[in-house]
Structure formats: C-alpha cells, structure tokens
Amino acid sequence: APWRPARPPRLEATDLQSDEARTLADFAGRPLLVNVWATWCGPCRIEMPSLNTLAQQLAPQGWQFVALNHGEMPERVRRFLAEVPIQGTLLLDRSQTVFKAWGGRALPATFVFDSAGRPLARAEGERDWAAPAMVEALRALPAVRRT
C-alpha cells in the first residue's frame, strides 16, 4: 500500500555488527526496504526466506535491505540468526520507537523508501516477497525505476 506519513520518518537504531548508531541518511542514494521483525514472531520467521530471495534479486539493481529488530537484546537476535539467516543490514531498535513512529500495528511490517529517502509503500503481515508479482511491483515503483 502507498505510504505517506504526516511527518518524515526517522530511523535511529543500532547496527548489530558494529554497535554504531544508524539513521536513514546512512542509506541515502539507493532504494531501501526496511523489514521490522522479532524473533518471537512466527510470521516474521516464515517470510524471511522470501525476503532473502528478494534481496538476492534486487541488490544487484542497487536496492538496500535492512532487517530492523523490534525491541530485543543483541544476543537473542544473534542466536536467532544462527538458525534463520537474514540478508542485509541488521539493526536493533531496542526502544521500540521506530515501528510505532512509522505507524506500525502488526509484525512483520515492511517499509519501502526511494533513493532520496522518501517513503513510498508499506505492508503489514506476512508476504511472499519472492513472488514474481511482488518483485515486479517493487521494480515498478516510479521513484526507484532509474536504479
């Protein structure tokens, strides 16, 4: 669905690998897909393989992928990733503020930004991200076609 929040979205989260603070500005210049998830979320676990497939298909075209964990400790996330690998940058939102600020209501939730960091689309609930129709819908977004 189209996503046009009243205020520009902000992202302040910690990179799981480097422990550094990250913002949307760190991902400027290329289209971005942010998936908000949690280890306790069954539908999140189910959709992860299709998100990985999508990342493999779209990353060569310049897309960036962020898996934003919703409120969990780093060790718990690392244990989960040993079982269920995730493509892209892993960020932690320990304070659980990003998902709420972006109007999220149910996990998993996915948010798409154009290469200038403007919000384009959002989806809540489990999706088959590797489905050809889904891949084509993302490629067809007007603000990311040129990437």
Side-chain angles (χ1 to χ4, degrees):
W3 181 37
R4 306 285 184 263
R7 292 184 209 135
R10 295 185 55 183
L11 171 66
E12 293 177 8
T14 303
D15 190 301
L16 181 65
Q17 301 289 26
S18 68
D19 203 36
E20 294 178 8
R22 302 291 297 268
T23 68
L24 280 176
D26 295 323
F27 301 96
R30 297 175 18 211
L32 173 66
L33 185 145
V34 178
N35 180 259
V36 183
W37 64 283
T39 64
W40 48 261
C41 169
C44 298
R45 179 185 289 261
I46 292 169
E47 84 170 356
M48 293 231 176
S50 71
L51 276 166
N52 288 338
T53 300
L54 178 69
Q56 291 168 351
Q57 291 176 359
L58 295 183
Q61 297 166 8
W63 281 77
Q64 302 173 93
F65 292 82
V66 167
L68 179 65
N69 179 269
H70 184 63
E72 296 181 274
M73 297 294 291
E75 264 322 297
R76 183 179 181 126
V77 172
R78 285 187 184 98
R79 282 193 306 271
F80 178 84
L81 294 174
E83 289 180 43
V84 182
I86 300 174
Q87 300 279 326
T89 303
L90 277 287
L91 300 181
L92 304 174
D93 179 19
R94 296 264 306 119
S95 64
Q96 300 180 345
T97 57
V98 174
F99 181 61
K100 292 174 189 173
W102 290 4
R105 296 178 309 260
L107 294 179
T110 303
F111 301 87
V112 179
F113 296 85
D114 70 9
S115 55
R118 293 180 297 248
L120 291 177
R122 64 183 274 160
E124 288 189 318
E126 176 189 340
R127 300 283 193 275
D128 179 2
W129 293 101
M134 186 68 75
V135 176
E136 288 311 310
L138 288 168
R139 284 183 175 146
L141 289 171
V144 296
R145 268 191 218 146
R146 62 187 171 272
T147 60

